[in-house]
Amino acid sequence: AAEVLSPLPLTGQNVILEQLTTEANGFRRGFIESGGFDAVGSFFSFSEESAEMSPSMTRRGNAVALRILKCCLFGNQNGSSQNQLDEAGNRLLMSLANAEGLLRSLTSMVVADSGISSTTVSDVLKFLSLLFKSPNTVKSFASLTDKTAEKFLIRLLLWEGGSDGAKPSSAITSISKVRIDTQKLVLATPLLASYALPWLKNAIDS
C-alpha cells in the first residue's frame, strides 16, 4: 500500500494508511467472530482427504489457507518477524478447539509435499512456534503416526528447498531461513529438543 500511495503528500499517505489499518482490523475481527477462522482451518482436512484435488491444487490451496490463518492470528505486523500476538490473536489461540488436528495438518503439508515452497514452510514454522508453547502439543507432535514428527524436523533441519529449490540466488536466502528458523524453534522448546536430538542422531547414522 505504501508504494501505491507514494505519489501523495506524506500527510495524505499517513491519513489513508491509518484508515486502511483501522478497516483491516475491523474486517479481521468480523472474520474471526463470524467463524471464518474455523472454516478456513477445516480446509486443511478437506484438501488432504479429497481425491479430486491434484497435488498442485492442494499445495496452492493450503498455502492460501495458511496465510489467511496466520493473518487471523498475527494481524498486520508490517513484515515483522516477531511472533507476537495482539489481544485478538491471543483470544483466538486460546479458543482453538482442535489444536491437534491443525498440528497434524501443518506437519503433513511439509512431509507429504515435496514441492512445498520455503515461504509456506516459514508460515508453518511460525504457527508451530505458537502451538509448541503448550507441552501437551509438543508431546502430541512427537507421537504423530508414521514418524511424521521425526521426518518433519529432519527435513527442515536439512532443508534444500521445495518448489523453489531449483532457483539460484533468489532461493538461497529463503532456504537458509527455513533451516535457521527450525533450529531456533528446537532450541526455544526444550521438550522438543529432547525428542529432536535422537532423531537427528539417527539421521546422521543412516
Side-chain angles (χ1 to χ4, degrees):
E3 291 78 8
V4 174
L5 299 174
S6 59
L8 298 176
L10 183 59
T11 303
Q13 292 182 37
N14 292 336
V15 170
I16 294 176
L17 285 174
E18 183 177 350
Q19 182 180 356
L20 288 174
T21 300
T22 300
E23 293 179 354
N25 288 337
F27 177 84
R28 175 188 172 213
R29 286 193 301 270
F31 183 81
I32 294 172
E33 291 171 0
S34 64
F37 182 88
D38 292 333
V40 175
S42 67
F43 177 88
F44 283 116
S45 297
F46 168 77
S47 62
E48 290 173 4
E49 297 170 0
S50 176
E52 300 176 358
M53 296 181 67
S54 66
S56 61
M57 289 176 61
T58 300
R59 183 181 307 134
R60 290 195 299 270
N62 281 342
V64 171
L66 182 60
R67 185 58 56 91
I68 293 172
L69 297 178
K70 190 180 77 166
C71 287
C72 285
L73 277 169
F74 293 95
N76 179 20
Q77 295 193 346
N78 296 319
S80 171
S81 61
Q82 299 298 315
N83 297 336
Q84 300 296 326
L85 299 183
D86 58 11
E87 183 181 351
N90 275 311
R91 286 201 309 268
L92 183 57
L93 181 64
M94 295 298 293
S95 70
L96 279 177
N98 188 17
E100 289 190 19
L102 180 59
L103 174 69
R104 185 168 52 252
S105 297
L106 290 170
T107 53
S108 295
M109 283 175 62
V110 175
V111 172
D113 186 2
S114 60
I116 189 171
S117 70
S118 295
T119 300
T120 302
V121 171
S122 292
D123 286 344
V124 170
L125 288 171
K126 193 167 187 178
F127 239 102
L128 292 180
S129 70
L130 292 177
L131 297 178
F132 285 170
K133 290 181 179 180
S134 165
N136 288 335
T137 305
V138 178
K139 292 177 182 178
S140 296
F141 170 77
S143 62
L144 290 173
T145 58
D146 299 323
K147 295 185 176 181
T148 300
E150 180 176 350
K151 295 173 183 176
F152 174 90
L153 276 185
I154 296 305
R155 184 181 184 196
L156 297 194
L157 287 170
L158 305 176
W159 182 248
E160 297 180 351
S163 59
D164 51 357
K167 300 176 183 178
S169 58
S170 61
I172 295 176
T173 300
S174 57
I175 289 173
S176 298
K177 183 177 185 302
V178 167
R179 294 179 181 174
I180 293 171
D181 287 349
T182 305
Q183 293 170 16
K184 288 181 177 178
L185 178 64
V186 172
L187 294 175
T189 316
L191 181 57
L192 179 62
S194 69
Y195 291 114
L197 184 59
W199 292 343
L200 186 57
K201 182 179 182 300
N202 289 338
I204 294 173
D205 290 343
S206 61

